Amino acid sequence: MKGGEGVGRLPRALEKAVYGGGGSAEMLREVVVTPGTPGGDCLVYIQRLILLLPLLLLLLLLLLLGPLPVPGMEDPDFPHPGESSQPPPRPCPWRCSCPQPDVVDCAGLDLRIFPDNITRKNNRLQELPYNELSRLSGLLTLNLHNNLISSEGLPDEAFESLEQLQHLYVAHNQLSVAPQFLPHSLRVADLAANQVTEIFPLTFGEKPALRSVYLHNNQLGNAGLPPDAFRGSEAITTLSLSSNRLSYLPPSLPISLERLHLQNNLISKVPRGALSRQTQLRELYLQHNQLTDSGLDATTFSKLRSLEYLDLSHNQLATVPAGLPKTLTILHLGRNRIRRVEAARLRGARGLRYLLLQHNELGATGLLAKALRPLRALHTLHLYGNRLQRVPPGLPRRLWALLMPHNHVAALGARDLASMLGLAELNLAYNRLTSTHLHHQAFHHLHTLRCLDLAGNQLTRVPEGLPGGLRVLRLQRNQLRTLEPESLAGLGQLQELSLAHNRLRIGDIGPGTWHELQALQVLDLSHNELSFVPPDLPEALEELHLQGNRISHVGPDAFLSTPHLRALSLRANRLHMTSIAAEAFLGLPRLRVVDTADNPEQVLVHLPPTAPRQPRAGDF
């Protein structure tokens, strides 16, 4: 129904007010349509009739009051209908919202047809008629995300009149091919999560303002990506082609690229020169492909003089790639088949700060002496899940974190760690270390060490000579049988200590063991063989884990030394209803959690009368 059609003898001024005057469909700037209740054409007519009723009443009132004032005689504070200096607001489509004058949002209404003056997201649209879009020449944003639109339902002619369109979102639909033509003005195009197998030269080509293209989670092969797909679009900075069916790196990529996502494809080769012009590329994602050493050469990455992040994890590489640029900051090579790391391959990447080599096949000779010495700026080295039998010699002096869990390290000598004077975090968990092969001066030079993880080894006692600056010490899942004051002496800054899953008994903890741990806040003694709460615990303690022991009684003096205790776990012990003394928690005003689940009986917990909030029994 067009303006004035079927309404009758409306004055021109009122007709202008009814149908928007200066607020026509051409002025719409953003439309959002997303999935709610089914509708049909009749809804549009009903909507318009409802909108007309107030204006028809106004017309009747004007006729009763007499002729309209002569122009120039009316009160300027009450402009004549249809002749206001500002156009009247455009009616908002039924059930939609219009947060701004040029925005219509019909998201989540389960629309089946295209209403007047809007676009849709999260609905059930199956097609987008050309005549509906032809009236929206001023549209800037078209959001059709998460509908049921197929390529047949999105004709190429639909975009002919959208000469100002900047943002197009048609992700999560059912497109099998991309539109052959998109507007010259486009800045962002999102066609992700469709079934696209082919794009065309003018889909994304000849778009000087285009900056971001998202094509991930489609079915694109190399044959569906023409060599000139991005010709004339020299401003694209982000291109996402991940999770498609590409078998080699596409040629003729935009030279302006800064982020290129190609993960989760079938890429086995990067053709020579494919990245030679991408001098502005900063992030390159090639993980989860089928790359082998023969698929790369010394020039593959050498021209990427701005590259900072390179992810080659989850491939089939046997060596570190050659020709790495000096700008590289993060190199992810995890989950490959690398057996050997040579200094020559890393010499060019002198700015590298994070090197990830986890879950490879590095053995006894995998990291030769000084292989990583050229990386003077290296901050973090991930080596977990390999077959290393010792800490690699000649590691960079400024290394901050060395992560080597799940290797085969069985011994630690006096000088194995001596060169890493700046080391703050050392993780040797789940190796094969024994107390007899752990030198008493192994940690002597690590004055900056803050976190030491030795969990899951075969230690029978706490290592000697631990650095006084330690904040975290993890010794769970070893074979500790004794705990003496000397072993923890000098650890006045320790805040967290885990001794869980060992073989400690109350008689194995010597008097004064906790004396110097004045900063300790978290103590985990769970899953040992303790028969009651250890006495004289550190005053600063806030969390105490005692679950999985043999505790059958908690006396009135059990927590006198820990007035700051906030959380206590006594789960899965041998407690009965009256095992905890009524006075046990007196003097613990900060106590919030007491976990006594999984004991033989439900335990009666006597709360201090002045506690600000009752502790609760539950998950710790």
Side-chain angles (χ1 to χ4, degrees):
M1 183 167 59
K2 298 181 180 179
E5 186 176 334
V7 174
R9 295 175 280 283
L10 281 177
R12 181 61 181 171
L14 289 184
E15 181 180 343
K16 191 175 181 183
V18 170
Y19 295 108
S24 66
E26 286 73 14
M27 299 298 293
L28 194 62
R29 289 295 180 266
E30 179 175 345
V31 204
V32 182
V33 191
T34 55
T37 58
D41 292 339
C42 61
L43 295 180
V44 178
Y45 297 122
I46 293 171
Q47 173 204 359
R48 291 190 174 180
L49 288 173
I50 292 172
L51 289 173
L52 286 175
L53 286 176
L55 295 169
L56 290 172
L57 292 174
L58 176 61
L59 174 61
L60 179 60
L61 178 62
L62 290 173
L63 292 174
L64 291 174
L65 291 175
L68 297 174
V70 178
M73 299 294 293
E74 59 270 87
D75 188 338
D77 293 333
F78 297 92
H80 192 280
E83 296 183 4
S84 169
S85 57
Q86 297 294 328
R90 174 179 47 81
C92 193
W94 183 58
R95 300 173 59 223
C96 300
S97 64
C98 301
Q100 300 177 18
D102 56 355
V103 176
V104 177
D105 187 349
C106 295
L109 297 182
D110 201 20
L111 300 175
R112 273 24 183 266
I113 63 171
F114 194 91
D116 287 348
N117 299 347
I118 65 166
T119 60
R120 317 160 172 90
K121 176 181 71 172
N122 287 335
N123 277 285
R124 296 184 179 180
L125 300 178
Q126 299 181 17
E127 61 179 354
L128 198 63
Y130 162 69
N131 59 340
E132 296 290 351
L133 284 178
S134 62
R135 299 176 293 106
L136 307 178
S137 59
L139 194 65
L140 299 179
T141 299
L142 178 58
N143 193 336
L144 297 166
H145 175 85
N146 198 14
N147 279 284
L148 303 174
I149 300 173
S150 65
S151 293
E152 293 74 18
L154 191 67
D156 295 323
E157 297 82 4
F159 300 100
E160 285 183 354
S161 61
L162 305 183
E163 298 178 353
Q164 299 183 42
L165 190 67
Q166 296 183 6
H167 303 90
L168 174 63
Y169 304 101
V170 288
H172 292 273
N173 277 279
Q174 297 179 6
L175 302 179
S176 56
V177 295
Q180 293 196 45
F181 166 81
L182 289 175
H184 187 74
S185 56
L186 205 60
R187 294 178 60 87
V188 177
D190 187 354
L191 280 73
N194 278 277
Q195 302 164 20
V196 175
T197 60
E198 185 177 9
I199 67 173
F200 302 94
L202 289 181
T203 302
F204 305 115
E206 305 301 331
K207 309 285 186 298
L210 190 59
R211 294 188 60 84
S212 302
V213 176
Y214 302 98
L215 284 163
H216 50 276
N217 293 92
N218 276 287
Q219 300 179 23
L220 271 173
N222 288 93
L225 201 61
D228 54 351
F230 304 102
R231 181 179 298 169
S233 300
E234 305 301 335
I236 299 177
T237 59
T238 300
L239 175 59
S240 179
L241 290 165
S242 59
S243 299
N244 277 281
R245 297 178 178 178
L246 301 173
S247 56
Y248 57 86
L249 205 70
S252 304
L253 293 168
I255 62 174
S256 53
L257 278 181
E258 296 180 7
R259 288 168 293 277
L260 177 57
H261 292 262
L262 288 162
Q263 62 267 34
N264 293 298
N265 275 281
L266 305 172
I267 297 174
S268 59
K269 181 178 179 61
V270 179
R272 179 179 289 271
L275 294 170
S276 60
R277 300 169 65 236
Q278 279 65 44
T279 57
Q280 300 179 52
L281 193 65
R282 293 171 43 237
E283 302 171 18
L284 177 56
Y285 301 87
L286 285 165
Q287 66 268 32
H288 289 279
N289 276 286
Q290 299 177 10
L291 285 168
T292 61
D293 293 344
S294 60
L296 306 174
D297 59 43
T299 66
T300 298
F301 307 112
S302 60
K303 302 295 180 63
L304 303 178
R305 61 190 183 201
S306 300
L307 193 65
E308 298 175 3
Y309 187 104
L310 176 58
D311 194 336
L312 293 166
S313 62
H314 295 268
N315 278 282
Q316 301 173 26
L317 301 175
T319 60
V320 177
L324 296 173
K326 63 181 180 181
T327 55
L328 200 60
T329 300
I330 301 173
L331 176 58
H332 197 337
L333 292 168
R335 297 280 183 182
N336 276 279
R337 300 175 181 177
I338 297 174
R339 297 183 178 182
R340 186 183 179 103
V341 177
E342 301 176 1
R345 294 295 180 99
L346 295 169
R347 191 167 290 123
R350 294 183 179 274
L352 199 64
R353 289 182 56 78
Y354 298 89
L355 177 57
L356 292 82
L357 287 162
Q358 66 270 27
H359 297 290
N360 276 281
E361 299 177 8
L362 296 170
T365 60
L367 278 171
L368 301 178
K370 301 181 180 180
L372 303 180
R373 183 58 64 87
L375 306 180
R376 297 181 180 179
L378 194 64
H379 177 279
T380 299
L381 176 60
H382 286 262
L383 293 169
Y384 50 85
N386 280 279
R387 304 170 187 170
L388 297 168
Q389 298 179 11
R390 58 173 298 186
V391 173
L395 293 177
R397 295 180 179 274
R398 297 181 182 178
L399 191 66
W400 191 90
L402 175 59
L403 309 176
M404 291 185 60
H406 296 280
N407 276 277
H408 299 167
V409 179
L412 206 55
R415 305 292 301 172
D416 287 354
L417 303 169
S419 65
M420 293 176 284
L421 301 180
L423 199 64
E425 181 178 353
L426 176 60
N427 191 331
L428 289 168
Y430 299 95
N431 276 276
R432 301 175 180 178
L433 287 169
T434 62
S435 293
T436 55
H437 292 92
L438 185 59
H439 198 277
H440 67 278
Q441 290 190 331
F443 308 106
H444 178 71
H445 301 280
L446 304 182
H447 302 297
T448 60
L449 194 64
R450 297 294 177 264
C451 180
L452 175 60
D453 194 338
L454 296 171
N457 281 281
Q458 302 170 28
L459 302 176
T460 55
R461 60 178 183 271
V462 177
E464 301 177 32
L466 295 173
L470 268 185
R471 305 291 198 277
V472 178
L473 176 59
R474 298 190 176 105
L475 291 165
Q476 66 266 30
R477 296 189 182 277
N478 276 278
Q479 300 175 19
L480 300 181
R481 294 178 178 272
T482 112
L483 209 55
E484 297 295 338
E486 295 79 14
S487 60
L488 299 174
L491 299 181
Q493 299 182 50
L494 194 65
Q495 298 174 3
E496 181 180 334
L497 174 60
S498 179
L499 296 164
H501 291 276
N502 279 285
R503 300 181 179 180
L504 293 170
R505 300 182 179 184
I506 287 295
D508 300 328
I509 302 176
T513 294
W514 318 109
H515 178 70
E516 295 194 33
L517 304 183
Q518 298 303 310
L520 194 66
Q521 297 177 8
V522 179
L523 175 60
D524 191 345
L525 286 165
S526 62
H527 300 283
N528 277 279
E529 300 175 13
L530 303 176
S531 54
F532 56 86
V533 179
D536 301 320
L537 293 171
E539 181 179 352
L541 203 62
E542 296 183 2
E543 291 184 25
L544 178 58
H545 298 256
L546 292 168
Q547 63 267 29
N549 277 280
R550 301 175 179 177
I551 298 173
S552 58
H553 177 71
V554 178
D557 301 333
F559 305 108
L560 284 180
S561 65
T562 58
H564 305 293
L565 199 63
R566 296 174 180 270
L568 170 65
S569 178
L570 290 165
R571 172 186 289 264
N573 275 278
R574 299 179 179 179
L575 297 172
H576 294 270
M577 180 175 292
T578 59
S579 292
I580 299 179
E583 303 86 3
F585 301 130
L586 288 175
L588 301 179
R590 301 182 182 181
L591 192 62
R592 294 292 181 272
V593 177
V594 177
D595 186 354
T596 58
D598 297 331
N599 277 280
E601 291 181 5
Q602 184 175 356
V603 180
L604 184 62
V605 176
H606 299 274
L607 304 175
T610 58
R613 190 176 72 179
Q614 285 190 352
R616 57 183 175 83
D619 293 335
F620 192 72

